[in-house]
Amino acid sequence: MLEKIKQLSAEISGFNSTKLEEIEQFRIKHLSKKGTIAALFDEFKQVPAEQKKAMGQALNELKTAALAKVNELKEALSDAEELATGADLTMPGEPMRLGSRHPLSIVKNEILSIFTRLGFTISEGPEIEDDWHVFSALNFPEEHPARDMQDTFFITRHPDILLRTHTSSVQVRDMETHPLPIRLVTPGRVFRNEAISARAHCIFHQIEALYISENVSFADLKQTLTYFAKELFGADTQIRLRPSYFPFTEPSAEMDVSCTLCHGKGCNVCKGSGWLEILGCGMVDPNVLDLNGIDSKKYSGFALGMGIERIAMLKYGIKDIRLFFENDIRFLEQFTAAGI
Ligand code: DAH
């Protein structure tokens, strides 16, 4: 039997072919159920016990060699086929495309990092809210137009449940749960029942900041805004505050920054005015503090809120808000985050 194994072993190692048919015949001859190796395994049953170990080993080696031979020849064959079709096997593999950060995430992270450097902590709240957190606790009068069906997405079966129209609702949740002093920034998605156009979308993103402590003054707000604007748009950026109205702040203001494109000279981005409107802000209305269980005689605070899309559009010169939501890779891969 050892003689047979040696003979077969020589035959197997000497075999070579570049034809699939011949390789297949070789496989059937030696490795099929009725093949030479299977026959030897049958014979092996009669081998005396003292020879079993050596013989078994030789037989197993033979089988392994036969299998390896078949695989090796088949592989060489498929490589040769690829060559015949003109494929260049030395070419590097398909490159994997690396993802990039969404421009809204880049701008959001930049804004959050400015506020966290000032000691603010990030806080988030739910997108599906109730009337109390979005309107009532923020001092919105019953007849305020923001409550109107035109602006707010309500849930038909539960008129008290709605999609938040601003992240100011998170201020209310923060006042409920956080111990004083409060110094929080709240990024999030907001929803308004608006017709979609180049300038408006029914879904967009805001960032809100809230600071409540003893002796917080308008000067603190102005200083924070100045620092924020210079960090975000550059050290030579000027700010101006215009009186405005929000139900939850008194006094209220809107902040403009000197136009990032023309630096105040007047261009078509700032419509000749030299200024760009960036955010709303003000001193938290004492009514809001009282409505949320904070003693307005002892504590005061400021709040501010801005739309991330608007800032990203100004920063990158994007003309159509819809681009942020279409996920076209040609648009998305143009933005790179500086170390964030
Ligand atoms: N919630 C306002 C809006 O969505 C933005 C805003 C204005 C937020 C003034 C504030 C603020 O915190 O103080 O238009």
Side-chain angles (χ1 to χ4, degrees):
M1 186 168 166
L2 206 54
E3 214 27 55
K4 275 192 205 157
I5 293 177
K6 271 191 192 151
Q7 234 175 23
L8 270 180
S9 175
E11 189 183 325
I12 285 168
S13 66
F15 177 72
N16 195 10
S17 168
T18 53
K19 293 200 180 88
L20 187 61
E21 237 169 81
E22 284 176 11
I23 300 170
E24 192 51 19
Q25 270 166 15
F26 171 83
R27 188 190 66 78
I28 292 167
K29 178 176 173 195
H30 297 293
L31 286 161
S32 67
K33 270 191 199 150
K34 292 188 179 136
T36 54
I37 295 174
L40 283 177
F41 270 102
D42 262 349
E43 253 179 65
F44 178 70
K45 289 175 199 151
Q46 267 88 57
V47 167
E50 66 275 14
Q51 289 177 27
K52 270 215 150 106
K53 192 173 169 208
M55 208 68 90
Q57 205 174 350
L59 206 48
N60 276 328
E61 274 165 17
L62 181 72
K63 189 175 173 185
T64 312
L67 279 170
K69 179 61 106 184
V70 170
N71 286 341
E72 173 198 320
L73 291 177
K74 279 191 175 168
E75 240 165 66
L77 202 61
S78 73
D79 284 354
E81 267 168 18
E82 265 178 50
L83 269 183
T85 61
D88 180 355
L89 301 176
T90 63
M91 289 276 280
E94 286 277 311
M96 290 254 285
R97 285 172 80 122
L98 266 188
S100 58
R101 266 200 209 290
H102 195 284
L104 291 178
S105 297
I106 296 174
V107 172
K108 178 184 84 175
N109 290 344
E110 260 177 50
I111 296 172
L112 290 178
S113 96
I114 296 171
F115 280 99
T116 48
R117 269 180 267 145
L118 283 172
F120 285 74
T121 316
I122 297 167
S123 161
E124 287 178 308
E127 294 174 352
I128 301 172
E129 266 292 7
D130 51 28
D131 179 275
W132 171 258
H133 289 92
V134 177
F135 298 127
S136 299
L138 287 164
N139 203 31
F140 274 77
E142 273 304 322
E143 70 286 2
H144 196 283
R147 292 177 179 241
D148 201 304
M149 286 296 259
Q150 252 92 64
D151 291 313
T152 308
F153 288 113
F154 288 93
I155 311 289
T156 319
R157 288 226 239 136
H158 295 277
D160 188 44
I161 306 291
L162 46 103
L163 296 178
R164 67 178 178 197
T165 54
H166 53 182
T167 42
S168 307
S169 54
V170 189
Q171 292 189 10
V172 177
R173 294 197 173 268
D174 289 339
M175 286 187 270
E176 282 169 357
T177 50
H178 278 264
L180 292 162
I182 287 172
R183 207 187 294 162
L184 295 162
V185 255
T186 63
R189 200 155 45 158
V190 300
F191 308 85
R192 286 187 201 174
N193 195 359
E194 297 212 27
I196 296 172
S197 70
R199 298 182 53 108
H201 210 286
C202 55
I203 301 176
F204 57 102
H205 299 77
Q206 290 187 329
I207 291 187
E208 194 102 2
L210 176 68
Y211 177 36
I212 302 175
S213 187
E214 290 180 45
N215 301 320
V216 178
S217 71
F218 202 90
D220 297 319
L221 170 62
K222 204 172 157 191
Q223 187 55 42
T224 306
L225 291 172
T226 308
Y227 175 78
F228 168 68
K230 285 180 186 291
E231 286 291 296
L232 189 64
F233 294 109
D236 56 347
T237 308
Q238 305 285 313
I239 70 160
R240 86 176 173 187
L241 294 172
R242 284 177 290 106
S244 185
Y245 171 77
F246 300 103
F248 37 89
T249 44
E250 183 56 38
S252 304
E254 255 154 297
M255 179 181 90
D256 298 342
V257 295
S258 48
C259 179
T260 48
L261 207 70
C262 66
H263 303 282
K265 287 189 202 77
C267 65
N268 61 357
V269 172
C270 57
K271 301 198 187 74
S273 72
W275 295 97
L276 299 167
E277 187 186 319
I278 295 294
L279 55 76
C281 58
M283 300 306 293
V284 180
D285 193 307
N287 274 349
V288 172
L289 294 175
D290 291 332
L291 278 167
N292 290 283
I294 295 173
D295 183 357
S296 62
K297 300 223 167 39
K298 190 168 174 207
Y299 292 99
S300 54
F302 69 68
L304 58 101
M306 69 197 96
I308 304 178
E309 278 79 359
R310 179 167 169 74
I311 291 180
M313 286 169 88
L314 292 172
K315 225 175 141 76
Y316 295 120
I318 297 165
K319 298 234 158 50
D320 193 323
I321 196 171
R322 290 169 291 198
L323 286 166
F324 290 120
F325 305 103
E326 281 166 3
N327 282 334
D328 185 329
I329 282 185
R330 292 166 302 179
F331 171 73
L332 294 179
E333 67 188 4
Q334 294 178 40
F335 307 92
T336 42
I340 304 175

